Amino acid sequence: MTDALKRLSDEGVAIWLDDLSRTRITSGNLAELIDQSHVVGVTTNPSIFQKAISQGHGYDQQLTDLATRKVTVDEAIRMITTADVRDAADILRPVFDSTDGQDGRVSIEVDPRLAHHTAATVAEAKQLAWLVDRPNTLIKIPATKAGLPAITEVIGKGISVNVTLIFSLERYREVMDAYLAGLEKAKAAGLDLSKIHSVASFFVSRVDSEIDKRLDAVGTDEAKALKGKAALANARLAYQAFEEVFSSDRWATLDKAHANKQRPLWASTGVKDPAYKDTLYVDDLVAPGTVNTMPEATLEATADHGQITGNTIAGTYEQARAELDAVEKLGVSYDDVVQLLEDEGVEKFEAAWIDLLNSTEAELKRLAPSEG
């Protein structure tokens, strides 16, 4: 083991775990990761909960109770997932208190089937915040076109948000704009801006997966030389956009009202291509004021052999722009790639939600008491 996780934390990168389960909570594993691996937050998504509920027997008692009450499968899922998030939030509460609310946070996602419905997303976010009832919760809202006004509305009500499924630089700027608009609404309503937090989840590895596939199809030496570069370039230019927006006059006004910056969060940081080093999207995306949410395998790989050498984003913007331009010149359309990834991202989470519904329904039937 190295001190890579400590070094990463010392560089101003908040380490969050991209996983949660009842077993991880009850076994003491989550508390151990906080204590020993510098983990200061947790993110969840429909895929994570589907996997957790379909494996093992950690949920049997609660599922039995829910089956006895004859609740709907949708209600059962919300009772189960919010219970996990509430318990994880309690475990992380000391981190939340010691960081003045910046970290120690647990994210829970709105039903992804609502991703293209603004009013329903807002209603669901309010319901989730009420159900979990912990100040260190982040409600995840996807960065779809319908999600943008929902982000503004929810932030305006004083609910902290994790904006998810961001792939493009243009959409990221729209997300930051939606956040600032929400803070302005909250300020006009007399809310305490210091209590409102947000992260913007910028997805990394999927960008390489899609662009690399297209570069392989081009097949030239020039195309092959650009493989594995687009995702880092995209994320680094996102950090440049973050620096610009949060040094603007508009931000300065909110800053005076004690608002918090919306931190960039590097998501999808597990490497998909075995040809790349398994800590690529950690080692090469180090900058202050960021979050890196890692699956456990990436967390362990970083602890074991991560190469944390200081800020690896500063001074890279010109090269990053040149690399994305070079990809575009080879006929690989950036706009087409990022739109495809957003569409696929929503579809994948919707599919995971359907799987979650089906597996939970099967468990409710299995554990339902006999009539009589």
Side-chain angles (χ1 to χ4, degrees):
M1 297 288 279
T2 68
D3 284 333
L5 294 174
K6 181 181 187 304
R7 287 201 299 277
L8 189 62
S9 185
D10 289 344
E11 288 291 340
V13 179
I15 300 166
W16 291 8
L17 177 71
D18 192 28
D19 191 53
L20 187 63
S21 68
R22 186 73 47 91
T23 305
R24 198 181 281 285
I25 291 164
T26 58
S27 68
N29 172 263
L30 178 57
E32 188 178 291
L33 289 173
I34 295 163
D35 187 48
Q36 297 176 16
S37 299
H38 304 275
V39 168
V40 293
V42 167
T43 49
T44 67
N45 61 45
S47 301
I48 284 168
F49 280 126
Q50 193 278 328
K51 183 179 165 191
I53 292 169
S54 63
Q55 292 180 353
H57 299 281
Y59 297 90
D60 280 8
Q61 185 57 60
Q62 188 178 12
L63 281 160
T64 301
D65 292 344
L66 291 166
T68 303
R69 289 174 50 217
K70 294 184 167 60
V71 304
T72 65
V73 65
D74 285 276
E75 186 183 350
I77 286 168
R78 277 311 180 207
M79 292 299 103
I80 290 165
T81 57
T82 54
D84 277 1
V85 169
R86 190 180 307 115
D87 288 345
D90 287 343
I91 293 167
L92 279 154
R93 185 58 189 261
V95 177
F96 174 79
D97 291 337
S98 67
T99 61
D100 200 22
Q102 177 148 275
D103 288 308
R105 293 190 170 266
V106 187
S107 298
I108 185 167
E109 191 146 349
V110 296
D111 182 335
R113 294 172 297 179
L114 308 177
H116 302 297
H117 305 280
T118 302
T121 294
V122 173
E124 170 101 342
K126 287 159 61 181
Q127 172 74 358
L128 282 173
W130 178 82
L131 268 175
V132 177
D133 193 27
R134 294 295 183 271
N136 50 330
T137 312
L138 290 169
I139 307 303
K140 287 179 86 172
I141 297 176
T144 56
K145 279 291 184 190
L148 294 169
I151 293 158
T152 297
E153 193 71 21
V154 172
I155 290 289
K157 293 182 184 303
I159 297 169
S160 294
V161 172
N162 175 344
V163 184
T164 188
L165 290 176
I166 307 170
F167 295 94
S168 84
L169 295 165
E170 180 186 3
R171 184 56 54 85
Y172 178 44
R173 286 184 180 275
E174 291 174 338
V175 165
M176 289 188 284
D177 181 70
Y179 175 61
L180 297 184
L183 288 176
E184 287 157 355
K185 280 188 90 155
K187 185 175 177 232
L191 299 182
D192 181 357
L193 300 193
S194 72
K195 303 290 187 197
I196 304 170
H197 286 258
S198 184
V199 294
S201 295
F202 201 86
F203 279 55
V204 185
S205 65
R206 292 187 198 178
V207 173
D208 269 344
S209 296
E210 183 60 33
I211 288 183
D212 283 0
K213 184 169 71 178
R214 298 185 186 205
L215 290 171
D216 277 335
V218 173
T220 63
D221 288 344
E222 187 186 359
K224 287 173 185 169
L226 286 166
K227 286 180 65 177
K229 293 186 174 175
L232 289 174
N234 200 37
R236 287 165 171 173
L237 291 173
Y239 191 78
Q240 181 185 32
F242 160 74
E243 289 184 313
E244 286 173 9
V245 169
F246 289 99
S247 60
S248 66
D249 290 342
R250 184 183 182 191
W251 169 250
T253 303
L254 291 163
D255 189 38
K256 281 179 193 152
H258 308 293
N260 297 290
K261 290 179 181 178
Q262 180 187 55
R263 288 182 293 170
L265 178 152
W266 311 128
S268 183
T269 55
V271 171
K272 304 281 195 291
D273 188 334
Y276 301 150
K277 62 177 179 176
D278 53 4
T279 59
L280 177 66
Y281 304 124
V282 179
D283 297 353
D284 290 18
L285 288 176
V286 177
T290 59
V291 180
N292 196 311
T293 186
M294 309 178 204
E296 191 166 24
T298 305
L299 183 75
E300 289 174 351
T302 303
D304 182 64
H305 52 264
Q307 300 290 313
I308 309 303
T309 56
N311 190 325
T312 49
I313 292 181
T316 64
Y317 303 146
E318 199 174 319
Q319 184 184 349
R321 172 48 60 201
E323 285 168 349
L324 286 189
D325 287 348
V327 168
E328 191 84 32
K329 279 176 190 155
L330 289 172
V332 177
S333 167
Y334 175 85
D335 289 343
D336 183 63
V337 166
V338 293
Q339 188 59 57
L340 174 74
L341 290 172
E342 181 186 305
D343 294 342
E344 283 184 351
V346 173
E347 286 166 13
K348 282 175 181 171
F349 279 167
E350 277 186 18
W353 194 264
I354 300 300
D355 287 345
L356 177 57
L357 286 167
N358 292 337
S359 54
T360 303
E361 188 170 37
E363 289 295 288
L364 288 169
K365 283 178 182 168
R366 178 177 73 84
L367 295 164
S370 305
E371 295 294 333

